[in-house]
Amino acid sequence: ELKVEQNPLFLSMQEGKNYTIYCNYSTTSDRLYWYRQDPGKSLESLFVLLSNGAVKQEGRLMASLDTKARLSTLHITAAVHDLSATYFCAVAGTYKYIFGTGTRLKVLA
Amino acid sequence: NAGVMQNPRHLVRRRGQEARLRCSPMKGHSHVYWYRQLPEEGLKFMVYLQKENIIDESGMPKERFSAEFPKEGPSILRIQQVVRGDSAAYFCASSPLLTETRGETQYFGPGTRLLVL
């Protein structure tokens, strides 16, 4: 059974600092997704990672995928308050996505 | 091309009532997925449907929950005799018809937030 674990679950950081969110998954998958969710809102797609070694960047966020280690990271550079949200990774299983538990990020001014 | 549409966006029910959640997939999409998000948790898969067929319902509770995707009209997630524990956000996603079944890109709707009093 495919399982997805994220850590940390909660992250409070100062503006301007860097940090990394980790996403581990238990079995082979060929697609990994990162989403952002603001309170009471739907999921906003951030990145789709399709192959080993894939790296994608958008603004202050950069995602990478290591399929051999079954690990994806979401790196935050010079955090700003607007990045405060919950971030989910999701791995494509057969027919469905398996979501991580989410990382609730709070960026303090 | 409109995105995935869900209605209602918010639904309040009293214990014992029925809840009907609707999902219209993106144009050209014939695969529909339902997920549930309990407060402070991630999304959990419930059911995967194609037109007139349930393909995978491994995430559906055994009782009170049912889903359909008729030939015409939206997909419906139906919850009978709701209980407080059913309070959650229910998200629908859709994907286009593809020859492979693994790793299809899913597009999520805005969700229906169900509150059971």
Side-chain angles (χ1 to χ4, degrees):
Chain A
E1 181 185 345
L2 178 57
K3 293 184 179 179
V4 181
E5 293 184 350
Q6 268 181 258
N7 68 84
L9 297 183
F10 298 95
L11 178 55
S12 180
M13 56 192 297
Q14 296 287 333
E15 276 194 330
K17 298 292 187 181
N18 303 334
Y19 210 86
T20 300
I21 299 171
Y22 297 89
C23 175
N24 291 88
Y25 54 99
S26 59
T27 61
T28 303
S29 176
D30 53 7
R31 294 191 184 200
L32 188 136
Y33 304 81
W34 283 98
Y35 291 92
R36 168 181 172 148
Q37 186 180 38
D38 291 291
K41 303 293 185 182
S42 187
L43 301 173
E44 175 189 351
S45 178
L46 296 175
F47 301 108
V48 180
L49 302 170
L50 301 177
S51 61
N52 188 41
V55 177
K56 290 196 175 180
Q57 183 164 5
E58 182 74 34
R60 301 175 187 275
L61 301 177
M62 183 175 70
S64 66
L65 178 62
D66 181 344
T67 57
K68 292 180 182 177
R70 297 176 186 165
L71 170 69
S72 180
T73 61
L74 181 66
H75 187 73
I76 303 158
T77 302
V80 294
H81 180 71
D82 287 351
L83 290 179
S84 297
T86 300
Y87 293 85
F88 292 98
C89 64
V91 176
T94 304
Y95 304 138
K96 58 198 160 196
Y97 287 2
I98 310 298
F99 282 82
T101 48
T103 296
R104 194 181 303 173
L105 171 65
K106 185 172 185 179
V107 180
L108 306 172
Chain B
N1 187 8
V4 178
M5 293 189 289
Q6 290 186 248
N7 67 83
R9 298 288 301 275
H10 299 273
L11 182 61
V12 180
R13 286 286 179 266
R14 296 191 181 279
R15 282 179 298 170
Q17 291 184 319
E18 178 180 287
R20 281 183 179 243
L21 288 62
R22 295 174 183 77
C23 169
S24 296
M26 287 179 71
K27 186 176 181 181
H29 287 194
S30 58
H31 301 242
V32 167
Y33 312 80
W34 285 94
Y35 293 82
R36 177 166 65 175
Q37 185 179 30
L38 295 171
E40 312 299 326
E41 295 187 10
L43 277 71
K44 297 282 173 54
F45 168 80
M46 298 181 75
V47 62
Y48 162 45
L49 309 104
Q50 295 179 16
K51 286 283 187 181
E52 300 184 278
N53 285 302
I54 297 174
I55 307 302
D56 182 350
E57 56 181 348
S58 59
M60 287 276 274
K62 293 288 185 272
E63 298 178 348
R64 303 186 297 108
F65 285 72
S66 62
E68 62 177 11
F69 189 16
K71 187 176 180 181
E72 301 291 338
S75 175
I76 306 286
L77 179 67
R78 182 183 178 203
I79 311 172
Q80 294 178 290
Q81 299 176 320
V82 296
V83 300
R84 290 214 173 105
D86 296 333
S87 295
Y90 292 83
F91 290 95
C92 168
S94 73
S95 65
L97 177 63
L98 297 173
T99 54
E100 76 265 23
T101 56
R102 184 181 179 90
E104 298 169 334
T105 297
Q106 299 181 11
Y107 299 85
F108 285 84
T112 293
R113 279 151 183 87
L114 172 65
L115 175 63
V116 179
L117 301 177

